[in-house]
Amino acid sequence: MPAVAGAQDNTALIDRLTWGQTSQALADIKRLGPDRWLKSQLRPATPLQLPPQAQAQIDALRISREPMAEIAVAMDAENKAASKLTDPAARQAAQQAYQKGMADLKQQAAARSLLRDLYSPNQLQEQMTWFWMNHFNVQADKRDIRAMIGDYEDQAIRPHALGKFRDLLKAADLHPAMLRYLDNDQNAVGRINENYAREILELHTMGVGSGYSQKDVEEMARVLTGVGVSLSPDAPKLKAEQQAFYVRRGLMEFNPARHDFGAKVVLGRQIGGTGLSEFEQTLDALASEPATARHVSRKLALYFMGEAPSDLIDRMTAKFLRSDGDIAEVLGLLFKSSAFKASLGKKLKDPIHYAVSAVRLAYDGRPIANTAPLQGWINRMGQGLYNRDTPDGYPLEDTAWSGPGQLTTMFEVARQVGANSAGLFKPGEPGAEDQPAFPQLQNALFYATLEKRLSPQTRSALAQARSPAEWNTLFLSSPEFLHR
């Protein structure tokens, strides 16, 4: 990567491509050099390895021990059993227990995600997992998606985060969480629901104003008929001629009795009545559309550097099309551009980048024992994991997070993070003892690299701090820390 060299550039690169500064990240980029380090991030060769304490927390989670299908079926049975209770008090208690169990599943997914963000050596993969979770957004609190959200992230998104876009697109758009969220399990021949079809074209692939028509949405909705979710262990009763078309993959079910087998035309392509393969072939075609290449390239640039010049988007789009949608190839071109280098240190951190980078720096590799405080800070700042109501995901523009209200909340979080460990080292199980730790932001990493980037105004403000906690708060509120 010829455009990036020198200690300060290395630090800026870490800020942009990882979840925040740590001594280990700096040591890795120094040892490998920026070129080899970047290649190792774009094509991680080693399986995910977390510190034993962090991995033990993940291994203990229900979502790590039980398959998603079993969890979803069990929770559905619990909900149905609660609703059948005739005693009002018993029914209310059972329904509250069900809701608590579902909320816990969502929190477990967030905990696993954040522990990986904090401690995975494959930092770019974790960045891209968040990016794609946002691109293929689902709101976990709808229906029973909380039982599915952890699997959606772990099995549909993460494995393809740096791979081929077509593989990612099919994994995300055929997952039960997505089918539930966009109501495609309610889309059947004679009762067409266009929700999912519209979002696939508008958000997941081609983008708004890219040339598809309302007729394409309608035809796409017909392609999607019969693709849904089933928690039943039994296949539906089908006519003899329909049985060969039936498909079941985990909880995803294609029911041919609900499918429109008539001829369709999407974006000028004739689609025959072949069942589930109609959807898969259409996604393949959409993944190869120039409009999809441009839409995805622009979003990648927006996420990693802000608005990019049109010639860079053009080159990223061309690379996407030449490489068959190879995400790592497109990112490599972006990261080597002069525009990307010029943007380093200038992109405002959104809430999740802010909170995770603060914890990474403050405890520099020491695994926390409880992600709940971190989840709480991110929620307070308005970007809670799996909480975005609308399918467009959280905005990537800096202006979405730079208003007075957002910054005021961020500064309040800075005080909480900077004052004490706030329960980060208190295990979540009942009766567990807190192991308090004070955030060490004035650490060796700060004096070796970060201090050199401070403006005279920031240095002057820090010099007036009356306590370590106040110094921490001021540093976490500084322009240098607020940007990456």
Side-chain angles (χ1 to χ4, degrees):
M1 188 171 176
V4 177
Q8 288 307 301
D9 286 328
N10 286 349
T11 303
L13 198 60
I14 290 170
D15 268 342
R16 184 63 64 80
L17 301 190
T18 78
W19 283 104
Q21 298 287 337
T22 65
S23 297
Q24 185 61 56
L26 185 61
D28 288 343
I29 201 170
K30 283 183 175 179
R31 174 175 54 85
L32 295 171
D35 286 343
R36 288 176 58 204
W37 179 82
L38 179 56
K39 289 178 182 177
S40 73
Q41 290 294 313
L42 286 168
R43 305 286 188 191
T46 56
L48 182 64
Q49 291 185 327
L50 301 182
Q53 303 98 309
Q55 189 60 52
Q57 293 179 57
I58 291 176
D59 292 343
L61 300 173
R62 182 184 181 186
I63 60 171
S64 299
R65 293 182 285 105
E66 299 178 32
M68 180 270 285
E70 292 183 9
I71 293 174
V73 169
M75 295 305 295
D76 182 63
E78 183 178 326
N79 186 36
K80 288 177 177 175
S83 65
K84 291 178 180 177
L85 293 173
T86 55
D87 179 71
R91 183 170 61 249
Q92 182 181 22
Q95 289 173 338
Q96 288 175 345
Y98 165 77
Q99 291 296 337
K100 182 180 184 304
M102 292 292 276
D104 188 53
L105 290 169
K106 177 185 173 183
Q107 186 173 39
Q108 287 183 32
R112 182 168 65 184
S113 184
L114 289 170
L115 286 169
R116 288 169 170 167
D117 293 344
L118 287 166
Y119 307 115
S120 171
N122 302 335
Q123 281 285 290
L124 185 58
Q125 182 184 26
E126 302 309 323
Q127 284 265 345
M128 290 307 299
T129 298
W130 188 92
F131 172 84
W132 293 122
M133 284 292 288
N134 196 58
H135 181 82
F136 295 102
N137 181 58
V138 301
Q139 212 279 2
D141 292 327
K142 183 173 180 177
R143 298 173 67 184
D144 57 351
I145 296 174
R146 286 171 291 179
M148 304 173 181
I149 192 69
D151 184 85
Y152 177 63
E153 180 171 344
D154 191 55
Q155 297 299 314
I157 302 296
R158 176 173 280 101
H160 306 291
L162 289 165
K164 292 294 182 76
F165 180 75
R166 70 174 63 248
D167 298 332
L168 172 66
L169 177 64
K170 287 194 283 191
D173 281 0
L174 280 164
H175 194 278
M178 180 64 75
L179 297 170
R180 276 279 204 251
Y181 176 58
L182 291 174
D183 304 316
N184 206 69
D185 54 352
Q186 300 172 27
N187 183 22
V189 61
R191 298 195 311 277
I192 296 293
N193 186 313
E194 296 178 5
N195 284 3
Y196 194 24
R198 189 177 309 281
E199 305 308 354
I200 287 175
L201 294 168
E202 181 175 310
L203 299 176
H204 297 179
T205 58
M206 295 176 64
V208 178
S210 56
Y212 65 86
S213 66
Q214 172 59 26
K215 183 63 175 176
D216 289 318
V217 173
E218 295 168 4
E219 293 288 272
M220 185 70 180
R222 293 177 60 212
V223 168
L224 294 171
T225 51
V227 185
V229 180
S230 175
L231 303 184
S232 170
D234 303 318
K237 294 181 179 179
L238 299 169
K239 297 176 181 178
E241 62 269 22
Q242 296 173 333
Q243 291 174 3
F245 291 100
Y246 179 75
V247 178
R248 182 72 182 262
R249 299 173 192 162
L251 298 183
M252 190 285 293
E253 178 183 69
F254 175 73
N255 184 341
R258 295 167 55 84
H259 182 65
D260 181 345
F261 277 90
K264 310 161 190 81
V265 180
V266 178
L267 299 171
R269 293 183 180 88
Q270 297 281 341
I271 300 170
T274 58
L276 181 63
S277 63
E278 296 175 34
F279 185 21
E280 295 171 323
Q281 291 168 11
T282 303
L283 290 179
D284 280 338
L286 286 169
S288 300
E289 282 283 336
T292 298
R294 176 165 289 278
H295 178 58
V296 171
S297 295
R298 182 185 174 275
K299 282 193 72 173
L300 288 169
L302 188 59
Y303 177 65
F304 278 108
M305 61 171 284
E307 290 289 349
S310 59
D311 66 308
L312 176 55
I313 302 300
D314 290 343
R315 287 185 286 125
M316 291 172 68
T317 300
K319 174 68 79 171
F320 186 105
L321 294 171
R322 285 197 309 270
S323 66
D324 190 29
D326 190 310
I327 297 162
E329 288 285 323
V330 177
L331 289 176
L333 187 152
L334 169 63
F335 298 154
K336 291 174 184 175
S337 69
S338 57
F340 175 78
K341 185 195 173 185
S343 76
L344 292 174
K346 297 177 182 177
K347 183 155 181 61
L348 185 72
K349 292 178 180 176
D350 58 13
I352 188 169
H353 280 91
Y354 178 81
V356 173
S357 64
V359 173
R360 273 172 66 85
L361 181 62
Y363 300 103
D364 198 14
R366 177 183 174 184
I368 62 174
N370 191 341
T371 65
L374 181 55
Q375 292 184 47
W377 294 326
I378 297 168
N379 288 342
R380 279 191 60 198
M381 290 186 284
Q383 203 183 25
L385 272 68
Y386 327 125
N387 281 357
R388 176 72 170 180
D389 287 332
T390 51
D392 56 349
Y394 290 111
L396 302 177
E397 294 84 359
D398 287 359
T399 51
W401 310 106
S402 59
Q406 288 97 332
L407 290 176
T408 297
T409 304
M410 199 171 282
F411 297 151
E412 291 172 358
V413 170
R415 279 193 286 272
Q416 292 186 23
V417 177
N420 55 64
S421 60
L424 289 170
F425 293 90
K426 182 178 182 180
E429 56 265 18
E433 292 187 8
D434 195 3
Q435 300 173 5
F438 190 76
Q440 298 293 330
L441 293 165
Q442 294 184 74
N443 54 23
L445 177 61
F446 169 79
Y447 289 112
T449 59
L450 304 180
E451 186 183 34
K452 298 178 177 63
R453 300 161 60 188
L454 300 181
S455 68
Q457 293 86 348
T458 299
R459 291 174 186 272
S460 175
L462 292 173
Q464 299 175 47
R466 293 164 295 183
S467 66
E470 186 176 356
W471 190 98
N472 289 344
T473 301
L474 290 170
F475 176 71
L476 293 175
S477 304
S478 69
E480 291 84 356
F481 189 78
L482 288 174
H483 290 82
R484 61 185 181 99

